[in-house]
Amino acid sequence: MTSPAKPSEPVCGFDLEHSWTEAWDFSRPLNFNHGSMGFTPRVVLARQEEISRRINAGREEFVREGGFSQLDDARKALAAFVGADENNLVLTANVTESINSVLKSLTFAPGDEVLVTNHIYVNYPALIDECARRQGFQVVKAEIPYRLKAEDDVIAPIMAGVTAATRLAIVDHISSPTAMIFPVARLVKALGEKGVDCFIDGAHAPGQVDIDLEILGAAYYGGNNHKWLCAPLSSGFLYVRPDRQAEIMPAVGSGYATAAHDFITRFSWQGVIDFVPRLMIPDTLRAMHDMHPAGWDGIYRRNHALAAAARRLLCERLGLAAPVPENMIGSMFTLPLGPIQFPPEEMEKSPLHRGYDALVKSHGFGAIFSQFGDDYIVRVTAHLYNKLSDYEALADALAAFIKDHQS
Ligand SMILES: Cc1ncc(COP(=O)(O)O)c(C=O)c1O
């Protein structure tokens, strides 16, 4: 390993060598993959255990004596955090539940189109194609380049995909394979002017960037709490604008999932589930806020500064060019690794696992990889437990990986 990166200018009072690593427990020495499932800090896990134990001591009592109002308080706390009116946001297990609820509730006329992009999360094309087959809509894909200079390069292909038949556009807030911040405010406005509703996939946005859902004004927004907010697993939400709420039912509904009930009530009882991840939302928001003296705003600014510095470091060390401008990344970024070739036996694995396993084998830590068009790309994340010199170790690991897999 080479010498650690030089301490940089302070961001919100800390240089980028300061980290909060001791607040988390990890099985690997370094982590650059916050994006897959997030990581919950120790203090929140301890509280989760305590609440779990309390509920288990009397499950019926919990539900009958205040459990509902605690769940509703958690929902309202999250709504306030993401700038949503409390009547417009419900809790779900994850974005997958949120997008299923929306897509499977909507009715389509023959010939209706749903617009998606090539930066969509890997599991959703199959889901959307299956909905299209059952519900009778056509899927249209906008091709957004991987290397681009400005937000307009995202907006133009999406708007070019709109036709008179476009009913809905499914657009990322921060894309999964390419880690790009999409200009969602501009997109919601431009698409709205063409009469097209948006489902914004915000799996990666809460906790990475400040969000105000009422100002954004999208018809539908699905978010995850278990990624960048660091909440326990199985915690997400769905925002639906008031003029679209009548149509939307939970993907998994129970006795309240009827047209006779309002949007919030429909999602209030989806059968017996583990209530604890939802109850943990206020504790998580507070615990994370309290870690940084400047609260969540300090976390956004510090993690973005670290991601930007790490990207510069990796580009310099590996001789790579960043694919998007710095204002289009939050706390994660991707880099194209050039022509990469794997031995035939590795080709049976998914593109993600090929690179991940190679890094773990050679250096004891992983990062997420994907094949995007002709590019084999690595996705790298920065959270409070990372510091700038961590990325020196990643640069060493990626340099060795590129050398070993050059075609
Ligand atoms: C952009 C995006 N959308 C949706 C998802 C699905 O999230 P979940 O499995 O929590 O529903 C992911 C997961 O990584 C994602 O990256």
Side-chain angles (χ1 to χ4, degrees):
M1 196 173 134
T2 54
S3 60
K6 287 190 209 81
S8 49
E9 290 295 307
V11 180
C12 302
F14 297 103
D15 75 43
L16 296 177
E17 274 310 294
H18 181 93
S19 74
W20 287 254
T21 317
E22 68 290 345
W24 275 263
D25 269 330
F26 288 118
S27 60
R28 298 205 182 278
L30 294 172
N31 274 290
F32 305 104
N33 180 24
H34 197 88
S36 283
M37 298 184 220
F39 294 102
T40 301
R42 272 199 208 127
V43 62
V44 177
L45 291 174
R47 180 91 177 113
Q48 182 182 15
E49 218 174 287
E50 185 192 320
I51 294 183
S52 248
R53 215 173 275 130
R54 222 178 56 217
I55 292 178
N56 272 294
R59 293 180 180 179
E60 187 69 27
E61 288 73 18
F62 164 75
V63 172
R64 311 234 352 227
E65 296 165 14
F68 269 125
S69 68
Q70 285 174 43
L71 285 163
D72 209 43
D73 288 346
R75 186 183 68 73
K76 289 174 182 167
L78 183 66
F81 184 80
V82 295
D85 184 293
E86 65 186 42
N87 297 311
N88 301 341
L89 181 138
V90 291
L91 301 180
T92 59
N94 46 40
V95 175
T96 300
E97 184 186 331
S98 304
I99 195 170
N100 270 280
S101 299
V102 171
L103 269 185
K104 292 175 180 168
S105 294
L106 296 177
T107 49
F108 295 89
D112 276 355
E113 293 175 0
V114 171
L115 182 60
V116 301
T117 83
N118 57 333
H119 291 236
I120 197 166
Y121 168 57
V122 63
N123 282 313
Y124 287 173
L127 165 70
I128 295 166
D129 283 349
E130 184 59 17
C131 289
R133 195 178 68 76
R134 287 168 178 263
Q135 291 165 260
F137 60 82
Q138 307 295 316
V139 181
V140 174
K141 186 159 77 174
E143 298 283 340
I144 301 168
Y146 173 53
R147 292 169 182 77
L148 43 79
K149 290 194 166 50
E151 290 181 348
D152 288 343
D153 300 337
V154 173
I155 294 173
I158 292 177
M159 295 314 292
V162 174
T163 71
T166 312
R167 277 279 314 281
L168 180 74
I170 299 175
V171 172
D172 291 287
H173 193 160
I174 302 178
S175 57
S176 169
T178 51
M180 257 178 222
I181 300 180
F182 277 33
V184 284
R186 291 177 64 193
L187 282 167
V188 168
K189 185 164 182 294
L191 287 162
E193 283 166 5
K194 299 259 177 205
V196 178
D197 279 350
C198 286
F199 179 95
I200 305 289
D201 179 345
H204 288 281
Q208 246 193 97
V209 292
D210 196 23
I211 299 175
D212 192 315
L213 293 179
E214 297 302 336
I215 290 179
L216 181 62
Y220 315 102
Y221 189 108
N224 270 338
N225 309 322
H226 51 226
K227 288 189 192 277
W228 293 86
L229 290 179
C230 301
L233 287 170
S234 289
S235 185
F237 66 88
L238 171 64
Y239 168 92
V240 180
R241 213 172 53 204
D243 60 324
R244 295 294 185 260
Q245 288 176 5
E247 244 185 313
I248 305 303
M249 291 290 168
V252 178
S254 188
Y256 297 104
T258 77
H261 293 96
D262 66 28
F263 171 60
I264 300 298
T265 311
R266 286 174 195 168
F267 282 77
S268 65
W269 186 253
Q270 296 171 272
V272 174
I273 55 169
D274 183 358
F275 309 108
V276 182
R278 296 177 183 203
L279 292 171
M280 289 306 303
I281 292 168
D283 286 284
T284 307
L285 293 176
R286 203 173 314 115
M288 291 300 297
H289 171 279
D290 290 351
M291 269 192 216
H292 197 290
W296 275 102
D297 187 50
I299 295 175
Y300 303 142
R301 284 161 56 197
R302 184 270 180 194
N303 288 348
H304 170 74
L306 180 59
R311 194 172 76 147
R312 287 193 294 274
L313 183 157
L314 288 171
C315 283
E316 201 173 301
R317 283 278 317 274
L318 303 172
L320 301 173
V324 297
E326 205 166 286
N327 68 334
M328 291 184 71
I329 62 164
S331 314
M332 65 176 183
F333 60 90
T334 67
L335 291 172
L337 298 181
I340 294 289
Q341 204 132 53
F342 290 95
E345 64 275 15
E346 288 292 302
M347 294 307 284
E348 284 164 24
K349 294 181 184 170
S350 75
L352 185 162
H353 292 134
R354 280 176 224 149
Y356 189 91
D357 291 355
L359 242 58
V360 168
K361 194 167 163 206
S362 63
H363 286 77
F365 53 79
I368 286 295
F369 295 78
S370 56
Q371 187 72 45
F372 194 81
D374 292 337
D375 286 299
Y376 194 64
I377 64 183
V378 62
R379 188 179 77 186
V380 179
T381 62
H383 215 310
L384 289 183
Y385 50 79
N386 294 114
K387 57 187 184 305
L388 188 55
S389 51
D390 292 351
Y391 301 89
E392 291 282 3
L394 181 61
D396 290 339
L398 289 174
F401 174 80
I402 292 168
K403 187 163 162 280
D404 290 348
H405 295 83
Q406 237 154 16
S407 51

